[in-house]
Amino acid sequence: MYLPILEINSEDMPAYAIVCGDPRRAKAIADQLDNARELSYAREYRTFVGDFQGVHLAVVSHGVGCPGAAVCFEELIRAGVKTIIRVGTAGSYSADIPSGSLVISTAAAREDGLSRQLVPNGFPAVADSAVVDALSQAAIGAPGVVRKGITLCVDAFFTGVEEIPHAKYKQAGVLATEMEISALYVVAALRGIRAGAILAIDGFADSDLAGEYDPHTNSVADAVEREITIALHAIANLAKAEA
């Protein structure tokens, strides 16, 4: 089957995929694979396949925001992908989770518009427990702060006249906010596949903590490298457990 948005053929897709927003990050992840090759580069969607510890997997970029990311997830699933792990960045709500930390998302509060068009408002966006466990196990011993918990998914990066209730989500224990996970978890639930996510913190979403936003620091770059390594090992361990 030909997938017209990603511009890939389903027979080229393995059962496991790592997804990320940035096409350049997809290339950086693919550079850590054996026998890596690029399959396509269409719009924000850049697709590689390769091997890690003997496990064949795909690496695909999905751009920014739920609608475009959901197109990527849907086509990957139609191509036969059964497990997807998002490797991304997020803004923290806590001084205890500073820039350079990692957060494993167990579920996403849905403040995006895309998922409201797919499922009722009461439907939860929840990670697969086996994927969360695999990420958590792979993160053991990783340097720096690693937390596990609920994240928030929004559409707006910059503020407008309508305010997102960040303070209420912080009070409720949400750890961080980003822009794609609810789409991933809802689509995964609808289509019957497994999904999880790990995020590198690149600043504060809490206005009381936020300073000048700079996602290009060495601490963020190091955190991105750590989360990539964790995601790759999580997929390898999931595949070995299923072998």
Side-chain angles (χ1 to χ4, degrees):
M1 180 196 308
Y2 181 70
L3 287 307
I5 308 300
L6 297 183
E7 297 185 6
I8 59 174
N9 293 303
S10 59
E11 56 265 29
D12 293 325
M13 281 293 100
Y16 301 91
I18 289 177
V19 297
C20 59
D22 188 348
R24 294 172 299 180
R25 185 170 297 154
K27 174 64 165 58
I29 299 170
D31 285 344
Q32 300 192 34
L33 305 180
D34 298 322
N35 308 310
R37 59 189 179 100
E38 186 170 356
L39 298 183
S40 69
Y41 195 163
R43 300 186 185 185
E44 64 267 44
Y45 309 114
R46 192 174 189 182
T47 304
F48 299 85
V49 292
D51 304 300
F52 182 78
Q53 294 186 354
V55 178
H56 197 47
L57 69 145
V59 180
V60 188
S61 61
H62 54 62
V64 177
C66 281
V71 172
C72 173
F73 306 148
E74 293 276 14
E75 287 211 335
L76 288 177
I77 294 165
R78 293 182 184 187
V81 173
K82 301 298 184 185
T83 300
I84 298 176
I85 294 179
R86 167 163 151 70
V87 171
T89 54
S92 168
Y93 283 131
S94 172
D96 295 330
I97 311 175
S99 185
S101 303
L102 297 179
V103 169
I104 297 168
S105 173
T106 59
R110 299 195 293 117
E111 283 283 351
D112 67 287
L114 181 279
S115 69
R116 288 198 294 271
Q117 294 186 2
L118 298 179
V119 291
N121 285 339
F123 189 91
V126 182
D128 179 85
S129 60
V131 177
V132 171
D133 288 345
L135 287 167
S136 300
Q137 287 296 316
I140 292 174
V145 175
V146 181
R147 294 284 297 277
K148 181 172 66 174
I150 298 170
T151 55
L152 170 67
C153 188
V154 300
D155 287 336
F157 188 87
F158 296 103
T159 58
V161 296
E162 294 288 341
E163 294 293 334
I164 297 167
H166 289 290
K168 291 183 178 179
Y169 282 111
K170 177 182 178 180
Q171 185 178 5
V174 169
L175 301 183
T177 182
E178 55 80 69
M179 301 180 71
E180 294 86 22
I181 288 177
S182 62
L184 174 59
Y185 290 175
V186 167
V187 169
L190 288 175
R191 310 307 176 209
I193 72 143
R194 304 185 305 185
I198 184 168
L199 305 164
I201 298 300
D202 62 2
F204 289 107
D206 185 335
S207 59
D208 294 332
L209 298 172
E212 183 177 352
Y213 176 63
D214 183 4
H216 304 297
T217 64
N218 289 336
S219 64
V220 174
D222 289 344
V224 170
E225 287 296 322
R226 294 197 303 277
E227 69 174 348
I228 290 170
T229 299
I230 290 167
L232 287 169
H233 281 89
I235 282 183
N237 291 337
L238 285 166
K240 290 172 184 175
E242 295 168 344

